[in-house]
Amino acid sequence: KPKEKHGFAFGMTQSAFALAFGIGPLTGGLIAQKFGLEHVFLTNSVAFIFIGVLSFFLLNYSKNVSFQK
């Protein structure tokens, strides 16, 4: 992968973390208030499983990664 895209990749990763940090507690609090605390964990479990399966099929992964200087 070209070095020119590293900055963009890091920026997108940090944006995703910032968005999750801002939205996560808000949605968790709303779900807990409306449905109860156990539903927060259920919702997160379903989301993590869905994202894991989606990542498995959509992300391109190679075991032969060579790091060059």
Side-chain angles (χ1 to χ4, degrees), residues 20 22-35 39-40 43-44:
I23 291 177
L26 176 65
T27 55
L30 291 174
I31 292 170
Q33 187 176 21
K34 184 78 172 171
F35 302 108
H39 285 87
V40 175
T43 304
N44 282 337

Side-chain angles (χ1 to χ4, degrees), residues 17-63:
F17 279 122
L19 185 65
F21 185 74
I23 291 177
L26 176 65
T27 55
L30 291 174
I31 292 170
Q33 187 176 21
K34 184 78 172 171
F35 302 108
L37 193 57
E38 63 276 356
H39 285 87
V40 175
F41 294 104
L42 178 64
T43 304
N44 282 337
S45 299
V46 170
F48 288 143
I49 290 169
F50 176 72
I51 291 169
V53 170
L54 202 64
S55 298
F56 181 77
F57 289 109
L58 294 181
L59 294 179
N60 192 7
Y61 177 73
S62 174
K63 291 183 180 180

